[in-house]
Amino acid sequence: MSAIANNLFARARAALLLTDAEAKCQAANALRQDWQAGKLDLVPIELADVAEAGRPEQTRQVQPRHLAKRGIQSPEGRAALIHAITHIEFSAINLALDAVFRFRQLPSDYYADWLQVAAEEAEHFSLLRQRLRELGYDYGDFPVHLGLWQAAMATRADPLARMALVPRLLEARGLDVTPGMMERLRQVKDEATVAILQVILRDEIGHVAAGTRWFHYLCQERGLEPEAAYFD
Protein backbone atom coordinates (compact mmCIF):
# COMPACT_ATOMS: atom_id res chain seq x y z
CA MET A 1 0.00 0.00 0.00
CA SER A 2 1.12 3.57 -0.63
CA ALA A 3 1.94 5.99 2.17
CA ILE A 4 -1.37 7.75 1.51
CA ALA A 5 -3.33 4.50 1.73
CA ASN A 6 -1.64 3.78 5.08
CA ASN A 7 -2.30 7.24 6.49
CA LEU A 8 -5.27 7.65 8.83
CA PHE A 9 -5.90 11.28 7.93
CA ALA A 10 -5.76 10.69 4.17
CA ARG A 11 -8.08 7.71 4.46
CA ALA A 12 -10.55 9.63 6.62
CA ARG A 13 -10.53 12.50 4.13
CA ALA A 14 -11.19 10.13 1.22
CA ALA A 15 -14.12 8.54 3.08
CA LEU A 16 -15.47 11.98 3.98
CA LEU A 17 -15.58 12.98 0.31
CA LEU A 18 -17.44 9.88 -0.90
CA THR A 19 -20.86 10.74 -2.29
CA ASP A 20 -22.30 7.21 -2.43
CA ALA A 21 -23.90 6.44 0.93
CA GLU A 22 -23.21 2.71 0.88
CA ALA A 23 -19.58 3.27 -0.14
CA LYS A 24 -19.18 5.77 2.71
CA CYS A 25 -20.53 3.24 5.21
CA GLN A 26 -18.16 0.58 3.89
CA ALA A 27 -15.22 3.01 4.07
CA ALA A 28 -16.05 3.95 7.67
CA ASN A 29 -16.11 0.28 8.66
CA ALA A 30 -12.89 -0.47 6.78
CA LEU A 31 -11.15 2.44 8.47
CA ARG A 32 -12.04 1.17 11.90
CA GLN A 33 -10.98 -2.38 11.03
CA ASP A 34 -7.65 -1.24 9.57
CA TRP A 35 -7.00 0.94 12.60
CA GLN A 36 -7.70 -1.95 14.96
CA ALA A 37 -5.36 -4.13 12.88
CA GLY A 38 -2.55 -1.57 13.24
CA LYS A 39 -2.40 -0.83 9.51
CA LEU A 40 -2.69 2.97 9.71
CA ASP A 41 -0.15 5.61 10.72
CA LEU A 42 -0.68 8.98 12.37
CA VAL A 43 1.84 11.01 10.36
CA PRO A 44 0.21 14.49 10.04
CA ILE A 45 0.74 14.86 6.29
CA GLU A 46 -0.34 17.90 4.26
CA LEU A 47 -3.85 17.44 2.89
CA ALA A 48 -6.28 19.78 1.14
CA ASP A 49 -9.10 21.04 3.34
CA VAL A 50 -12.67 19.78 3.01
CA ALA A 51 -15.38 22.44 2.94
CA GLU A 52 -18.19 20.20 1.66
CA ALA A 53 -18.65 16.62 2.81
CA GLY A 54 -19.69 14.10 0.19
CA ARG A 55 -23.38 13.27 0.03
CA PRO A 56 -25.65 11.65 -2.57
CA GLU A 57 -26.52 13.95 -5.45
CA GLN A 58 -30.22 13.09 -5.19
CA THR A 59 -30.57 14.65 -1.73
CA ARG A 60 -32.49 17.94 -2.03
CA GLN A 61 -31.22 20.56 0.39
CA VAL A 62 -33.48 23.17 1.97
CA GLN A 63 -33.34 25.49 4.96
CA PRO A 64 -34.65 23.83 8.15
CA ARG A 65 -37.65 26.16 8.26
CA HIS A 66 -38.72 24.92 4.81
CA LEU A 67 -39.00 21.27 5.86
CA ALA A 68 -42.63 20.19 5.75
CA LYS A 69 -44.25 19.09 9.02
CA ARG A 70 -46.03 15.75 8.68
CA GLY A 71 -47.94 13.68 11.22
CA ILE A 72 -46.73 10.11 11.67
CA GLN A 73 -50.25 8.68 11.50
CA SER A 74 -49.92 8.54 7.70
CA PRO A 75 -47.40 6.16 6.06
CA GLU A 76 -45.78 9.09 4.25
CA GLY A 77 -45.50 11.09 7.46
CA ARG A 78 -43.85 8.19 9.26
CA ALA A 79 -41.44 7.70 6.36
CA ALA A 80 -40.60 11.42 6.44
CA LEU A 81 -39.72 11.17 10.14
CA ILE A 82 -37.56 8.09 9.58
CA HIS A 83 -35.92 9.83 6.61
CA ALA A 84 -35.05 12.83 8.80
CA ILE A 85 -33.38 10.53 11.35
CA THR A 86 -31.63 8.66 8.54
CA HIS A 87 -30.19 11.95 7.32
CA ILE A 88 -29.00 12.84 10.82
CA GLU A 89 -27.15 9.52 10.99
CA PHE A 90 -25.62 10.05 7.54
CA SER A 91 -24.47 13.52 8.60
CA ALA A 92 -23.06 12.02 11.79
CA ILE A 93 -20.83 9.69 9.73
CA ASN A 94 -19.39 12.77 8.04
CA LEU A 95 -18.91 14.58 11.34
CA ALA A 96 -17.07 11.63 12.90
CA LEU A 97 -14.83 11.26 9.84
CA ASP A 98 -14.15 15.00 9.89
CA ALA A 99 -13.23 14.83 13.58
CA VAL A 100 -10.57 12.28 12.60
CA PHE A 101 -9.35 14.02 9.43
CA ARG A 102 -9.28 17.59 10.70
CA PHE A 103 -7.77 17.38 14.17
CA ARG A 104 -4.29 15.88 14.13
CA GLN A 105 -1.59 15.35 16.76
CA LEU A 106 -4.09 14.16 19.35
CA PRO A 107 -3.65 10.91 21.35
CA SER A 108 -4.29 7.69 19.45
CA ASP A 109 -7.23 6.90 21.76
CA TYR A 110 -9.00 9.97 20.34
CA TYR A 111 -8.90 8.46 16.84
CA ALA A 112 -9.99 5.06 18.16
CA ASP A 113 -13.05 6.71 19.71
CA TRP A 114 -14.10 8.66 16.61
CA LEU A 115 -13.49 5.77 14.24
CA GLN A 116 -15.79 3.70 16.45
CA VAL A 117 -18.36 6.51 16.31
CA ALA A 118 -18.10 6.67 12.50
CA ALA A 119 -18.62 2.90 12.18
CA GLU A 120 -21.60 2.95 14.57
CA GLU A 121 -23.19 5.89 12.74
CA ALA A 122 -22.77 3.93 9.51
CA GLU A 123 -24.61 0.99 11.11
CA HIS A 124 -27.41 3.31 12.25
CA PHE A 125 -27.74 4.78 8.77
CA SER A 126 -27.87 1.34 7.17
CA LEU A 127 -30.54 0.08 9.59
CA LEU A 128 -32.71 3.14 9.00
CA ARG A 129 -32.25 3.07 5.24
CA GLN A 130 -33.34 -0.56 5.16
CA ARG A 131 -36.40 0.39 7.21
CA LEU A 132 -37.22 3.17 4.73
CA ARG A 133 -36.99 0.67 1.90
CA GLU A 134 -39.33 -1.69 3.72
CA LEU A 135 -41.83 1.18 3.75
CA GLY A 136 -41.42 1.82 0.02
CA TYR A 137 -39.06 4.79 0.26
CA ASP A 138 -35.30 5.43 0.14
CA TYR A 139 -32.75 7.96 1.34
CA GLY A 140 -33.12 11.03 -0.87
CA ASP A 141 -36.90 10.80 -1.30
CA PHE A 142 -37.48 13.76 1.07
CA PRO A 143 -35.66 17.10 1.38
CA VAL A 144 -32.86 17.46 3.94
CA HIS A 145 -31.04 20.32 5.64
CA LEU A 146 -27.31 20.69 6.29
CA GLY A 147 -27.44 22.02 9.84
CA LEU A 148 -25.10 19.38 11.26
CA TRP A 149 -22.43 19.97 8.63
CA GLN A 150 -22.73 23.71 9.23
CA ALA A 151 -21.95 22.98 12.89
CA ALA A 152 -18.84 21.12 11.76
CA MET A 153 -17.71 24.08 9.70
CA ALA A 154 -18.40 26.49 12.56
CA THR A 155 -16.02 24.46 14.78
CA ARG A 156 -13.42 23.53 12.16
CA ALA A 157 -10.63 25.56 13.78
CA ASP A 158 -10.80 24.07 17.28
CA PRO A 159 -11.36 20.51 18.55
CA LEU A 160 -12.47 21.92 21.92
CA ALA A 161 -15.33 23.79 20.23
CA ARG A 162 -16.15 20.70 18.14
CA MET A 163 -16.42 18.46 21.19
CA ALA A 164 -18.58 21.06 22.97
CA LEU A 165 -20.99 21.77 20.13
CA VAL A 166 -21.41 18.45 18.33
CA PRO A 167 -21.35 15.49 20.75
CA ARG A 168 -22.00 17.42 23.97
CA LEU A 169 -24.79 19.65 22.63
CA LEU A 170 -26.31 18.39 19.38
CA GLU A 171 -25.96 14.64 20.04
CA ALA A 172 -27.01 15.13 23.66
CA ARG A 173 -30.19 16.82 22.41
CA GLY A 174 -30.79 13.71 20.33
CA LEU A 175 -30.67 11.64 23.52
CA ASP A 176 -33.33 13.91 24.97
CA VAL A 177 -35.78 13.64 22.05
CA THR A 178 -35.33 9.99 21.04
CA PRO A 179 -37.46 8.46 23.84
CA GLY A 180 -40.37 10.71 22.83
CA MET A 181 -40.03 9.65 19.19
CA MET A 182 -40.01 6.02 20.27
CA GLU A 183 -43.23 6.51 22.21
CA ARG A 184 -44.92 8.20 19.23
CA LEU A 185 -43.87 5.30 17.00
CA ARG A 186 -45.17 2.78 19.52
CA GLN A 187 -48.54 4.52 19.36
CA VAL A 188 -48.72 3.78 15.61
CA LYS A 189 -47.42 0.23 16.25
CA ASP A 190 -44.11 0.69 14.41
CA GLU A 191 -42.07 -1.59 16.67
CA ALA A 192 -39.50 -2.24 13.92
CA THR A 193 -38.41 1.41 13.90
CA VAL A 194 -38.54 1.56 17.71
CA ALA A 195 -36.06 -1.34 17.84
CA ILE A 196 -33.64 0.58 15.59
CA LEU A 197 -33.95 3.69 17.75
CA GLN A 198 -33.13 1.59 20.81
CA VAL A 199 -29.82 0.62 19.16
CA ILE A 200 -29.14 4.25 18.26
CA LEU A 201 -29.97 5.48 21.77
CA ARG A 202 -27.60 2.95 23.33
CA ASP A 203 -24.72 3.92 21.03
CA GLU A 204 -25.31 7.67 21.19
CA ILE A 205 -24.84 7.59 24.97
CA GLY A 206 -21.32 6.38 24.22
CA HIS A 207 -20.79 9.09 21.61
CA VAL A 208 -21.74 11.85 24.05
CA ALA A 209 -19.43 10.24 26.63
CA ALA A 210 -16.56 10.27 24.11
CA GLY A 211 -17.19 13.94 23.39
CA THR A 212 -17.17 14.69 27.12
CA ARG A 213 -13.97 12.70 27.64
CA TRP A 214 -12.07 14.62 24.96
CA PHE A 215 -13.61 17.95 25.92
CA HIS A 216 -12.25 17.47 29.44
CA TYR A 217 -8.88 16.32 28.06
CA LEU A 218 -8.55 19.47 25.95
CA CYS A 219 -9.67 21.68 28.85
CA GLN A 220 -6.98 20.12 31.04
CA GLU A 221 -4.37 20.64 28.30
CA ARG A 222 -5.28 24.35 28.15
CA GLY A 223 -5.76 24.92 31.86
CA LEU A 224 -9.49 25.65 31.47
CA GLU A 225 -12.29 24.97 33.92
CA PRO A 226 -14.62 22.64 31.95
CA GLU A 227 -18.03 24.03 32.92
CA ALA A 228 -17.03 27.64 32.29
CA ALA A 229 -15.32 26.66 29.02
CA TYR A 230 -18.43 24.81 27.86
CA PHE A 231 -20.74 27.78 28.40
CA ASP A 232 -18.18 30.11 26.79
Side-chain angles (χ1 to χ4, degrees), residues 63-91:
Q63 293 298 319
R65 65 181 179 274
H66 294 148
L67 289 173
K69 300 286 192 296
R70 297 181 175 92
I72 64 168
Q73 276 69 30
S74 72
E76 184 182 28
R78 188 152 41 100
L81 173 65
I82 296 169
H83 188 278
I85 306 167
T86 306
H87 178 64
I88 289 170
E89 298 303 317
F90 180 81
S91 300

Side-chain angles (χ1 to χ4, degrees), residues 10-28:
R11 285 274 300 277
R13 181 181 183 276
L16 182 60
L17 290 173
L18 289 170
T19 57
D20 180 85
E22 188 171 340
K24 191 184 292 282
C25 291
Q26 291 171 350

Side-chain angles (χ1 to χ4, degrees), residues 103-156:
F103 303 122
R104 299 164 209 175
Q105 297 179 321
L106 286 165
S108 62
D109 284 349
Y110 169 89
Y111 303 108
D113 277 348
W114 294 107
L115 290 171
Q116 177 176 337
V117 171
E120 288 176 352
E121 304 291 16
E123 180 190 6
H124 301 165
F125 172 83
S126 298
L127 289 169
L128 287 162
R129 188 180 196 184
Q130 179 57 36
R131 182 65 185 136
L132 272 178
R133 288 170 168 171
E134 290 168 0
L135 296 172
Y137 296 87
D138 201 356
Y139 183 53
D141 285 352
F142 297 91
V144 301
H145 71 81
L146 301 181
L148 281 174
W149 182 250
Q150 289 165 358
M153 291 297 93
T155 56
R156 68 200 297 179

Side-chain angles (χ1 to χ4, degrees), residues 48-220:
D49 194 16
V50 174
E52 290 288 340
R55 55 185 176 274
E57 292 180 3
Q58 70 268 26
T59 51
R60 292 169 287 149
Q61 301 148 37
V62 298
Q63 293 298 319
R65 65 181 179 274
H66 294 148
L67 289 173
K69 300 286 192 296
R70 297 181 175 92
I72 64 168
Q73 276 69 30
S74 72
E76 184 182 28
R78 188 152 41 100
L81 173 65
I82 296 169
H83 188 278
I85 306 167
T86 306
H87 178 64
I88 289 170
E89 298 303 317
F90 180 81
S91 300
I93 304 170
N94 281 333
L95 264 66
L97 292 170
D98 187 79
V100 173
F101 153 72
R102 189 169 302 282
F103 303 122
R104 299 164 209 175
Q105 297 179 321
L106 286 165
S108 62
D109 284 349
Y110 169 89
Y111 303 108
D113 277 348
W114 294 107
L115 290 171
Q116 177 176 337
V117 171
E120 288 176 352
E121 304 291 16
E123 180 190 6
H124 301 165
F125 172 83
S126 298
L127 289 169
L128 287 162
R129 188 180 196 184
Q130 179 57 36
R131 182 65 185 136
L132 272 178
R133 288 170 168 171
E134 290 168 0
L135 296 172
Y137 296 87
D138 201 356
Y139 183 53
D141 285 352
F142 297 91
V144 301
H145 71 81
L146 301 181
L148 281 174
W149 182 250
Q150 289 165 358
M153 291 297 93
T155 56
R156 68 200 297 179
D158 187 357
L160 181 73
R162 175 68 61 86
M163 295 298 107
L165 184 60
V166 176
R168 300 197 76 215
L169 179 63
L170 298 179
E171 287 201 76
R173 282 179 180 170
L175 293 181
D176 291 339
V177 302
T178 299
M181 283 193 293
M182 291 166 66
E183 183 55 36
R184 289 169 61 203
L185 289 163
R186 284 194 181 98
Q187 289 173 5
V188 295
K189 298 184 170 28
D190 188 350
E191 293 296 336
T193 305
V194 170
I196 295 171
L197 292 182
Q198 286 174 328
V199 172
I200 293 174
L201 187 62
R202 177 201 68 200
D203 292 344
E204 297 294 345
I205 290 170
H207 302 174
V208 175
T212 297
R213 181 162 53 252
W214 293 106
F215 178 79
H216 281 272
Y217 169 87
L218 290 161
C219 284
Q220 185 175 9

